[in-house]
Short mmCIF file of all heavy atoms in Angstrom, two decimals:
data_model
loop_
_atom_site.label_atom_id
_atom_site.label_comp_id
_atom_site.label_asym_id
_atom_site.label_seq_id
_atom_site.Cartn_x
_atom_site.Cartn_y
_atom_site.Cartn_z
N GLY A 1063 49.29 -81.72 -33.19
CA GLY A 1063 50.16 -80.65 -32.94
C GLY A 1063 50.84 -80.10 -34.25
O GLY A 1063 51.63 -79.17 -34.23
N GLY A 1064 50.45 -80.61 -35.39
CA GLY A 1064 50.96 -80.03 -36.74
C GLY A 1064 51.87 -81.05 -37.52
O GLY A 1064 51.69 -82.21 -37.36
N ALA A 1065 52.62 -80.42 -38.39
CA ALA A 1065 53.46 -81.26 -39.26
C ALA A 1065 54.61 -82.00 -38.47
O ALA A 1065 55.08 -81.49 -37.53
CB ALA A 1065 54.05 -80.33 -40.38
N VAL A 1066 54.91 -83.18 -38.94
CA VAL A 1066 55.81 -84.07 -38.35
C VAL A 1066 57.23 -83.66 -38.86
O VAL A 1066 57.42 -83.53 -40.12
CB VAL A 1066 55.52 -85.47 -38.66
CG1 VAL A 1066 56.64 -86.32 -38.08
CG2 VAL A 1066 54.23 -85.96 -38.17
N THR A 1067 58.21 -83.54 -37.99
CA THR A 1067 59.50 -83.25 -38.32
C THR A 1067 60.35 -84.51 -38.54
O THR A 1067 59.96 -85.60 -38.02
CB THR A 1067 60.24 -82.40 -37.27
OG1 THR A 1067 60.42 -83.19 -36.03
CG2 THR A 1067 59.50 -81.16 -36.87
N ARG A 1068 61.48 -84.33 -39.21
CA ARG A 1068 62.46 -85.55 -39.38
C ARG A 1068 62.88 -86.15 -37.87
O ARG A 1068 62.84 -87.31 -37.81
CB ARG A 1068 63.67 -85.06 -40.07
CG ARG A 1068 64.73 -86.24 -40.25
CD ARG A 1068 65.93 -85.65 -40.93
NE ARG A 1068 66.58 -84.44 -40.34
CZ ARG A 1068 67.42 -84.54 -39.26
NH1 ARG A 1068 67.69 -85.72 -38.72
NH2 ARG A 1068 67.92 -83.42 -38.76
N LEU A 1069 62.99 -85.28 -37.02
CA LEU A 1069 63.43 -85.67 -35.63
C LEU A 1069 62.32 -86.52 -34.94
O LEU A 1069 62.60 -87.53 -34.32
CB LEU A 1069 63.86 -84.50 -34.67
CG LEU A 1069 65.18 -83.82 -35.03
CD1 LEU A 1069 65.41 -82.65 -34.19
CD2 LEU A 1069 66.28 -84.78 -35.03
N GLN A 1070 61.06 -86.12 -35.21
CA GLN A 1070 59.89 -86.90 -34.66
C GLN A 1070 59.90 -88.34 -35.30
O GLN A 1070 59.59 -89.25 -34.62
CB GLN A 1070 58.66 -86.16 -34.88
CG GLN A 1070 58.58 -84.97 -33.93
CD GLN A 1070 57.35 -84.08 -34.36
OE1 GLN A 1070 57.13 -83.86 -35.50
NE2 GLN A 1070 56.61 -83.57 -33.36
N ARG A 1071 60.06 -88.35 -36.60
CA ARG A 1071 60.10 -89.56 -37.26
C ARG A 1071 61.21 -90.52 -36.83
O ARG A 1071 61.10 -91.72 -36.61
CB ARG A 1071 60.14 -89.38 -38.83
CG ARG A 1071 58.87 -88.81 -39.37
CD ARG A 1071 58.88 -88.87 -40.93
NE ARG A 1071 60.13 -88.27 -41.50
CZ ARG A 1071 60.15 -87.01 -41.92
NH1 ARG A 1071 59.02 -86.28 -41.81
NH2 ARG A 1071 61.19 -86.48 -42.45
N GLU A 1072 62.45 -89.82 -36.61
CA GLU A 1072 63.59 -90.66 -36.14
C GLU A 1072 63.33 -91.17 -34.68
O GLU A 1072 63.68 -92.35 -34.47
CB GLU A 1072 64.80 -89.85 -36.22
CG GLU A 1072 65.35 -89.48 -37.60
CD GLU A 1072 66.50 -88.59 -37.60
OE1 GLU A 1072 66.92 -88.03 -36.56
OE2 GLU A 1072 67.02 -88.33 -38.67
N LYS A 1073 62.80 -90.41 -33.88
CA LYS A 1073 62.47 -90.85 -32.56
C LYS A 1073 61.44 -92.08 -32.59
O LYS A 1073 61.75 -93.09 -31.90
CB LYS A 1073 61.80 -89.82 -31.56
CG LYS A 1073 61.37 -90.25 -30.31
CD LYS A 1073 60.88 -89.18 -29.41
CE LYS A 1073 60.53 -89.86 -28.04
NZ LYS A 1073 60.29 -88.92 -26.98
N ALA A 1074 60.43 -91.99 -33.36
CA ALA A 1074 59.42 -93.10 -33.48
C ALA A 1074 60.22 -94.31 -33.99
O ALA A 1074 59.95 -95.50 -33.49
CB ALA A 1074 58.30 -92.76 -34.38
N ASP A 1075 61.08 -94.16 -34.98
CA ASP A 1075 61.85 -95.29 -35.58
C ASP A 1075 62.76 -95.91 -34.56
O ASP A 1075 62.88 -97.12 -34.42
CB ASP A 1075 62.53 -94.92 -36.81
CG ASP A 1075 61.57 -94.51 -37.95
OD1 ASP A 1075 60.38 -94.87 -37.90
OD2 ASP A 1075 62.03 -93.92 -38.99
N GLU A 1076 63.33 -95.11 -33.76
CA GLU A 1076 64.30 -95.57 -32.79
C GLU A 1076 63.67 -96.43 -31.76
O GLU A 1076 64.03 -97.43 -31.33
CB GLU A 1076 65.05 -94.46 -32.09
CG GLU A 1076 66.19 -93.80 -33.00
CD GLU A 1076 66.74 -92.59 -32.43
OE1 GLU A 1076 66.56 -92.27 -31.20
OE2 GLU A 1076 67.48 -91.78 -33.14
N LEU A 1077 62.45 -95.91 -31.22
CA LEU A 1077 61.72 -96.64 -30.26
C LEU A 1077 61.20 -97.97 -30.87
O LEU A 1077 61.30 -99.07 -30.16
CB LEU A 1077 60.57 -95.76 -29.85
CG LEU A 1077 60.80 -94.51 -29.08
CD1 LEU A 1077 59.64 -93.62 -28.88
CD2 LEU A 1077 61.49 -94.88 -27.72
N PHE A 1078 60.74 -98.02 -32.03
CA PHE A 1078 60.27 -99.26 -32.69
C PHE A 1078 61.46 -100.16 -32.91
O PHE A 1078 61.32 -101.39 -32.61
CB PHE A 1078 59.58 -98.90 -33.99
CG PHE A 1078 59.15 -100.08 -34.82
CD1 PHE A 1078 57.94 -100.67 -34.59
CD2 PHE A 1078 59.97 -100.65 -35.76
CE1 PHE A 1078 57.53 -101.79 -35.29
CE2 PHE A 1078 59.59 -101.83 -36.50
CZ PHE A 1078 58.38 -102.32 -36.20
N ASP A 1079 62.55 -99.67 -33.36
CA ASP A 1079 63.76 -100.45 -33.63
C ASP A 1079 64.24 -101.23 -32.33
O ASP A 1079 64.69 -102.36 -32.35
CB ASP A 1079 64.91 -99.74 -34.29
CG ASP A 1079 64.58 -99.26 -35.77
OD1 ASP A 1079 63.58 -99.84 -36.31
OD2 ASP A 1079 65.20 -98.42 -36.30
N ARG A 1080 64.27 -100.36 -31.31
CA ARG A 1080 64.70 -100.99 -29.94
C ARG A 1080 63.84 -102.13 -29.49
O ARG A 1080 64.36 -103.16 -29.20
CB ARG A 1080 64.74 -99.85 -28.93
CG ARG A 1080 65.10 -100.25 -27.55
CD ARG A 1080 66.58 -100.70 -27.41
NE ARG A 1080 66.74 -101.18 -26.05
CZ ARG A 1080 67.59 -102.16 -25.71
NH1 ARG A 1080 68.22 -102.78 -26.65
NH2 ARG A 1080 67.74 -102.52 -24.39
N LEU A 1081 62.53 -101.93 -29.65
CA LEU A 1081 61.65 -103.08 -29.25
C LEU A 1081 61.80 -104.21 -30.13
O LEU A 1081 61.87 -105.32 -29.68
CB LEU A 1081 60.17 -102.50 -29.22
CG LEU A 1081 59.10 -103.51 -28.84
CD1 LEU A 1081 59.32 -104.14 -27.39
CD2 LEU A 1081 57.67 -102.91 -28.93
N SER A 1082 61.81 -103.97 -31.44
CA SER A 1082 61.96 -105.08 -32.38
C SER A 1082 63.27 -105.83 -32.19
O SER A 1082 63.27 -107.05 -32.33
CB SER A 1082 61.94 -104.42 -33.85
OG SER A 1082 60.71 -103.86 -34.11
N SER A 1083 64.40 -105.16 -31.97
CA SER A 1083 65.57 -105.81 -31.75
C SER A 1083 65.51 -106.72 -30.49
O SER A 1083 66.08 -107.85 -30.50
CB SER A 1083 66.73 -104.79 -31.49
OG SER A 1083 67.95 -105.25 -31.25
N LEU A 1084 64.95 -106.15 -29.36
CA LEU A 1084 64.79 -107.03 -28.24
C LEU A 1084 63.97 -108.25 -28.51
O LEU A 1084 64.33 -109.35 -28.03
CB LEU A 1084 64.17 -106.20 -27.10
CG LEU A 1084 65.16 -105.17 -26.46
CD1 LEU A 1084 64.31 -104.11 -25.59
CD2 LEU A 1084 66.22 -105.82 -25.64
N LEU A 1085 62.87 -108.13 -29.26
CA LEU A 1085 62.10 -109.25 -29.54
C LEU A 1085 62.88 -110.27 -30.43
O LEU A 1085 62.65 -111.54 -30.21
CB LEU A 1085 60.74 -108.85 -30.10
CG LEU A 1085 59.87 -108.01 -29.18
CD1 LEU A 1085 58.62 -107.52 -29.89
CD2 LEU A 1085 59.57 -108.71 -27.91
N ARG A 1086 63.62 -109.79 -31.37
CA ARG A 1086 64.42 -110.75 -32.22
C ARG A 1086 65.49 -111.47 -31.31
O ARG A 1086 65.75 -112.62 -31.51
CB ARG A 1086 65.15 -109.95 -33.28
CG ARG A 1086 64.27 -109.65 -34.46
CD ARG A 1086 65.04 -109.16 -35.62
NE ARG A 1086 65.73 -107.95 -35.28
CZ ARG A 1086 65.32 -106.71 -35.48
NH1 ARG A 1086 64.10 -106.50 -35.84
NH2 ARG A 1086 66.11 -105.75 -35.10
N ASP A 1087 65.99 -110.76 -30.35
CA ASP A 1087 66.99 -111.44 -29.42
C ASP A 1087 66.43 -112.51 -28.56
O ASP A 1087 67.14 -113.35 -28.02
CB ASP A 1087 67.56 -110.38 -28.46
CG ASP A 1087 68.55 -109.45 -29.19
OD1 ASP A 1087 68.87 -109.66 -30.37
OD2 ASP A 1087 68.90 -108.31 -28.56
#
C-alpha cells in the first residue's frame, strides 16, 4: 500500500510490546 507512516510503525510496536509484556509476565 505504499510508504509506512509513523502511526503505522507505532501501531506495530504497540502490538509487539503488548505481547512481549504478557510473555515476560
Side-chain angles (χ1 to χ4, degrees):
V1066 174
T1067 67
R1068 178 183 53 83
L1069 291 176
Q1070 289 170 317
R1071 289 191 305 266
E1072 287 175 359
K1073 178 178 177 166
D1075 293 345
E1076 287 173 12
L1077 293 169
F1078 177 85
D1079 290 346
R1080 174 71 179 140
L1081 178 58
S1082 296
S1083 175
L1084 287 165
L1085 295 176
R1086 279 191 302 273
D1087 289 348

